[in-house]
């Protein structure tokens, strides 16, 4: 069982939790593993669908991120809400304190805004709700390794990748959230990057529409590679002959971006296995025996307190 001899701060910058027991259960996971845990009041609030008012949610994120005793900041869940408060967050104050921050789904908005405004690295990885039950072994192993190991390493099987060995800025997250930031001050201007995406509850045609927008905006052509994660809801359960499928999306993109590695199978985000990815880190990506291997020593870590 992994050990977390650190102080963890939970906030709720997005949607309210569905089950009132969630904060206590997420806290228990870390307490049982040696952590000290603090919960901001917003994790218990519900204003319409949000975990408190906009002002309360900003205050919750800033309090946890700027508390010098908090090592790791986790949003309790995603959903929707960060887009409403991006312009109220003091990114420089968070960067000055430099805690480790991790989340996915709606938290993509923060990952990219933080990178755009400060150049600082944060993690695309589990939210608090993912610790209510013991996470899948690979989720837990990747999360723990990102926090404590000198070198961050992730890999996934992808036989179609061919021979690759490149370096670039790793960035991306939830596709809908990435596209929603286009044209705003919170969209990072990354050239030569390794861009990764995942999403849920979107059919293939909507996924392709998002990608077409990014391609027409000039974002995709500037990257060295694109990696897709879990798009399990893209295809109907029982496809018919003329259905437009996720495989068609990949084919379209490869035709539009000839020569660019476009890979599939990165397990993160809404996938049952959620590896932890350093958004904004310069990583090496190579292929080895049918696997794509990503690695860097440029990733945020925590120092054990206890």
């Amino acid at each position: 069982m992994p050990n977390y001899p650190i102080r963890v701060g939970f906030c709720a910058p997005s949607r309210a939790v569905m089950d009132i027991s969630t904060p206590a259960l997420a806290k228990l996971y870390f307490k049982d593993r040696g952590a000290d845990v603090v919960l901001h009041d917003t994790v218990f609030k519900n204003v319409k669908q949000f975990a408190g008012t906009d002002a309360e949610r900003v205050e919750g994120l800033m309090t946890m991120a700027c508390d010098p005793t908090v090592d790791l900041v986790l949003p309790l869940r995603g959903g929707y809400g960060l887009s409403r408060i991006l312009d109220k967050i003091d990114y420089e104050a968070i960067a000055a304190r430099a805690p480790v921050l991790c989340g996915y789904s709606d938290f993509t908005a923060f990952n990219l805004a933080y990178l755009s405004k400060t150049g600082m690295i944060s993690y695309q990885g589990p939210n608090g709700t993912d610790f209510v039950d013991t996470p899948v072994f690979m989720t837990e192993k990747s999360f723990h390794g990102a926090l404590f190991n000198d070198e961050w390493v992730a890999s996934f099987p992808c036989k179609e990748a061919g021979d690759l060995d490149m370096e670039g800025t790793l960035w991306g997250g939830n596709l809908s959230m990435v596209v929603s930031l286009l044209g705003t001050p919170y969209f990072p201007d990354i050239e030569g990057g390794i861009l990764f995406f995942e999403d849920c509850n979107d059919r293939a045609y909507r996924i392709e529409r998002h990608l077409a927008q990014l391609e027409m905006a000039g974002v995709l052509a500037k990257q060295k590679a694109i990696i897709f994660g879990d798009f399990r809801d893209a295809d109907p359960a029982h496809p018919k002959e003329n259905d437009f499928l996720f495989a068609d999306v990949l084919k379209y993109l490869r035709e539009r971006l000839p020569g660019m590695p476009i890979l599939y199978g990165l397990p993160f985000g809404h996938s049952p296995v959620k590896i932890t990815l350093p958004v904004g880190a310069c990583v090496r990506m190579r292929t080895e025996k049918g696997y794509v291997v990503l690695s860097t020593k440029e990733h945020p870590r925590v120092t054990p307190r206890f």
Side-chain angles (χ1 to χ4, degrees), residues 155-170:
S155 64
F156 63 98
C158 186
K159 296 186 183 302
E160 63 185 10
D163 293 326
L164 296 175
D165 195 346
M166 64 177 67
E167 289 188 350
T169 300
L170 186 68

Side-chain angles (χ1 to χ4, degrees), residues 25-202:
L25 292 172
K27 177 179 180 178
L28 184 62
Y29 171 88
F30 286 97
K31 291 284 286 184
D32 282 352
R33 288 157 179 79
D36 185 27
V37 181
V38 57
L39 302 173
H40 188 266
D41 289 346
T42 48
V43 303
F44 303 106
K45 293 193 174 185
N46 190 334
V47 177
K48 292 193 178 287
Q49 69 170 356
F50 304 111
T53 65
D54 289 355
E56 287 172 333
R57 287 181 289 111
V58 171
E59 192 271 332
L61 175 60
M62 292 302 303
T63 296
M64 292 296 103
C66 295
D67 184 336
T69 70
V70 171
D71 305 297
L72 169 66
V73 179
L74 292 173
L76 205 58
R77 61 159 297 173
Y80 170 63
L82 265 163
S83 301
R84 294 168 61 109
I85 62 174
L86 287 178
D87 62 337
K88 306 295 193 301
I89 296 169
D90 188 340
Y91 301 97
E92 294 294 342
I94 296 173
R97 166 71 187 95
V100 176
L101 300 111
C102 181
Y104 74 100
S105 191
D106 197 49
F107 201 70
T108 298
F110 177 85
N111 291 136
L112 298 188
Y114 190 46
L115 178 60
S116 176
K117 289 294 187 181
T118 69
M120 296 289 282
I121 300 165
S122 58
Y123 283 114
Q124 179 87 184
N127 290 326
T129 51
D130 297 299
F131 297 100
V132 169
D133 299 310
T134 301
V136 175
F137 171 73
M138 287 306 299
T139 299
E140 198 171 48
K141 180 180 179 182
S142 177
F143 180 72
H144 190 271
L147 296 184
F148 295 104
N149 290 354
D150 288 340
E151 183 175 22
W152 172 86
V153 180
S155 64
F156 63 98
C158 186
K159 296 186 183 302
E160 63 185 10
D163 293 326
L164 296 175
D165 195 346
M166 64 177 67
E167 289 188 350
T169 300
L170 186 68
W171 70 294
N174 179 262
L175 176 59
S176 299
M177 295 308 305
V178 173
V179 173
S180 75
L181 296 180
L182 266 176
T184 75
Y186 310 108
F187 192 87
D189 183 14
I190 304 293
E191 189 160 357
I194 298 169
L195 179 56
F196 62 91
F197 296 122
E198 63 84 37
D199 217 325
C200 64
N201 300 322
D202 259 356

